[in-house]
């Protein structure tokens, strides 16, 4: 365990270095650097606290072992009692520290931008996209997170052909990063008069919301256009050039926003979306160039990858990536996602540990 202690000592040194930087004039004048260093310090806080606890236990163990070498019977008995208490406590703490030292996804503490689309099944796919949106909003509400709709195309039959929304709170991406992919539903549609079960899909894309401290986009790389919004949205929507389209020229990523009631609002939303999508694309390119597989991902996160099935007749939800099944679909659709997310996180942790070994 000497390697663990060396690692913890290095973490503490970095933590102290960051705290010194955070009060320096240079960093205080640079909001981007201040935010970045503050986040790093926050991530290091738990390992540093655990290191201090381990040092205290090491000292107690050393003192007890010295007492055992004394000739005094009473001191030896006290030392034995102390070791009986300290040694199991230290083993438990070391196991906790091993988990803390698992490489963390640097995006875990980010907010997210989620995009849901109705897939196979026509109207039923759109309705299911609406059900998933409700599921995620209920889950977010239960954790005290804030949901904000950025773009939405309502389906006439119900639900959405597309909806884009952000979720803000503590460690949102850590919980929801496994949601990207195709979600399949098996149930009797409301429009089915014969009572036949139909299989439909909706796709989910979950990306970390990039902040200005994460990526600096040169405004010269953006083409920004305004145009008349189309579709539903009220009489005002077609009278002014309120819709905004932004293209990030180097990557070709395009965002079009028209749901806001003003050009300014749509421009702000479009910039948030383009920043996050460029951030994710540049990370993907870097991983590809380095020949790396992002180990923290379960599956590829591709929209076409079927990740989960929601079977209404059997009240069952199955996550195909880890073979996890729960017969509480009714609760899941009310936002009770904790069991599924915990299973996915446990599998991620297991794979990272196996890879490290």
């Amino acid at each position: 365990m000497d390697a663990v202690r060396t690692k913890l000592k290095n973490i503490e040194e970095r933590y102290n270095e960051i705290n010194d930087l955070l009060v320096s004039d240079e960093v205080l004048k640079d909001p981007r650097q201040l935010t970045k260093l503050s986040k790093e310090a926050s991530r290091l806080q738990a390992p540093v606290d655990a290191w201090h606890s381990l040092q205290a236990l090491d000292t107690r163990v050393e003192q007890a072992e010295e007492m055992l070498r004394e000739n005094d019977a009473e001191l030896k008995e006290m030392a034995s009692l102390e070791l009986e208490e300290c040694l199991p406590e230290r083993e438990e703490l070391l196991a906790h520290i091993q988990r803390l030292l698992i490489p963390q996804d640097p995006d875990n503490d980010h907010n997210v931008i989620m995009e849901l689309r109705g897939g196979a099944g026509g109207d039923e796919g759109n309705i299911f996209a609406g059900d998933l949106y409700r599921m995620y909003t209920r889950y977010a509400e239960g954790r005290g997170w804030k949901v904000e709709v950025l773009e939405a195309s309502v389906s006439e039959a119900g639900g959405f052909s597309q909806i884009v929304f952000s979720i803000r709170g503590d460690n949102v991406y850590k919980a929801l990063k496994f949601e990207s992919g195709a979600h399949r539903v098996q149930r009797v549609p409301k429009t089915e008069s014969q009572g036949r079960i139909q299989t439909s899909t909706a796709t989910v894309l979950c990306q970390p919301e990039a902040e200005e401290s994460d990526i600096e986009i040169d405004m010269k790389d953006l083409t920004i256009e305004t145009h008349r919004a189309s579709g539903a949205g009220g009489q005002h929507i077609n009278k002014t050039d309120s819709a905004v389209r932004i293209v990030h020229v180097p990557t070709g990523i395009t965002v079009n926003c028209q749901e806001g009631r003003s050009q300014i609002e749509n421009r702000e939303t479009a910039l948030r979306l383009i920043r996050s999508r460029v951030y994710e694309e540049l990370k993907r390119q870097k991983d590809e160039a380095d020949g790396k597989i992002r180990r923290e991902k379960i599956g590829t996160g591709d929209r076409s990858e079927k990740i989960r099935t929601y079977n209404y007749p059997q009240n069952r939800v199955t996550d195909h990536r880890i073979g996890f099944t729960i017969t509480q679909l009714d609760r899941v659709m009310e936002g009770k996602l904790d069991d599924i997310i915990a299973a996915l996180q446990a599998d991620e942790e297991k794979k990272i540990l196996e890879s490290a070994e």
Side-chain angles (χ1 to χ4, degrees):
M1 286 296 175
D2 288 341
V4 171
R5 288 175 171 80
T6 300
K7 176 79 170 176
L8 290 169
K9 186 177 179 181
N10 292 338
I11 288 173
E12 183 181 37
E13 288 174 357
R14 174 59 181 164
Y15 178 77
N16 292 335
E17 179 187 354
I18 291 171
N19 283 326
D20 289 340
L21 288 170
L22 286 172
V23 295
S24 68
D25 290 339
E26 183 181 352
V27 171
L28 288 172
K29 293 175 183 177
D30 185 347
R32 284 167 55 88
Q33 189 72 353
L34 183 64
T35 301
K36 185 177 180 180
L37 289 172
S38 296
K39 284 189 172 185
E40 186 180 353
S42 179
R43 287 195 296 268
L44 298 180
Q45 182 70 59
V48 169
D49 290 344
W51 171 227
H52 292 162
S53 298
L54 181 60
Q55 287 176 302
L57 277 171
D58 283 342
T59 300
R60 288 173 63 187
V61 169
E62 287 173 10
Q63 291 172 344
E65 288 175 341
E66 284 180 12
M67 290 166 62
L68 274 179
R69 291 191 285 270
E70 299 289 335
N71 291 325
D72 189 313
E74 188 175 342
L75 281 177
K76 285 187 175 182
E77 184 178 353
M78 288 174 59
S80 296
L81 290 173
E82 179 76 348
L83 288 173
E84 284 179 16
E85 178 182 336
C86 289
L87 291 177
E89 188 176 339
R90 186 167 68 173
E91 287 302 309
E92 187 177 329
L93 178 59
L94 283 168
H96 172 63
I97 288 170
Q98 289 276 29
R99 291 192 293 273
L100 288 177
L101 294 181
I102 292 173
Q104 294 294 308
D105 183 342
D107 292 330
N108 276 348
D109 60 358
H110 281 54
N111 301 318
V112 303
I113 291 178
M114 300 190 76
E115 181 180 348
L116 311 184
R117 291 177 182 266
D123 289 341
E124 178 63 13
N126 294 338
I127 292 170
F128 184 51
D131 294 337
L132 289 177
Y133 170 69
R134 182 176 179 274
M135 177 185 79
Y136 290 127
T137 55
R138 289 293 179 91
Y139 177 70
E141 289 165 2
R143 297 177 71 94
W145 296 342
K146 182 180 178 181
V147 179
E148 178 188 1
V149 175
L150 304 178
E151 285 287 299
S153 297
V154 178
S155 170
E156 291 184 6
F160 304 94
S161 58
Q162 178 191 23
I163 182 166
V164 181
F165 57 99
S166 68
I167 302 181
R168 296 184 170 189
D170 294 330
N171 292 316
V172 182
Y173 187 68
K174 182 179 181 180
L176 295 175
K177 62 183 174 181
F178 307 113
E179 296 304 301
S180 292
H183 294 238
R184 182 174 69 173
V185 62
Q186 295 173 325
R187 64 184 177 189
V188 178
K190 295 176 182 177
T191 55
E192 173 56 57
S193 59
Q194 303 297 319
R196 291 174 296 195
I197 296 173
Q198 179 177 319
T199 298
S200 307
T201 63
T203 61
V204 176
L205 180 64
C206 178
Q207 296 180 315
E209 179 170 3
E211 300 171 6
E212 291 185 12
S213 59
D214 295 318
I215 181 172
E216 187 171 3
I217 293 181
D218 191 337
M219 295 300 289
K220 295 177 183 176
D221 289 337
L222 301 180
T223 299
I224 303 176
E225 302 172 349
T226 59
H227 60 95
R228 297 270 175 102
S230 59
Q235 291 184 355
H236 74 283
I237 203 162
N238 290 317
K239 293 183 178 179
T240 61
D241 288 345
S242 60
V244 175
R245 181 185 295 110
I246 299 180
V247 179
H248 182 251
V249 177
T251 61
I253 293 172
T254 302
V255 168
N256 188 71
C257 291
Q258 65 176 35
E259 294 299 316
R261 302 185 73 85
S262 71
Q263 186 183 117
I264 293 174
E265 188 178 333
N266 284 325
R267 179 187 169 93
E268 289 176 353
T269 299
L271 285 171
R272 282 175 66 186
L273 290 174
I274 205 82
R275 184 187 300 120
S276 296
R277 291 178 184 174
V278 170
Y279 174 68
E280 186 74 359
E281 174 60 18
L282 293 180
K283 279 200 308 177
R284 186 196 65 76
Q285 290 179 7
K286 183 178 184 301
D287 288 341
E288 199 173 79
D290 293 344
K292 294 179 181 177
I293 297 174
R294 295 180 66 189
R295 293 179 303 175
E296 71 273 14
K297 294 285 189 183
I298 293 181
T300 64
D302 191 276
R303 282 186 189 274
S304 63
E305 181 188 11
K306 182 185 72 178
I307 65 166
R308 196 175 296 153
T309 295
Y310 303 73
N311 185 299
Y312 274 73
Q314 298 179 23
N315 197 37
R316 184 183 71 222
V317 180
T318 299
D319 194 288
H320 303 291
R321 296 163 294 180
I322 58 173
F324 180 83
T325 296
I326 185 170
T327 52
Q328 297 178 355
L329 181 144
D330 51 342
R331 296 183 72 253
V332 168
M333 299 310 293
E334 288 297 321
K336 307 299 183 182
L337 289 167
D338 293 312
D339 289 342
I340 297 174
I341 289 171
L344 288 162
Q345 289 176 334
D347 189 76
E348 174 194 46
E349 184 177 302
K350 178 184 174 185
K351 287 178 178 176
I352 292 174
L353 283 172
E354 289 174 348
S355 176
E357 290 172 1

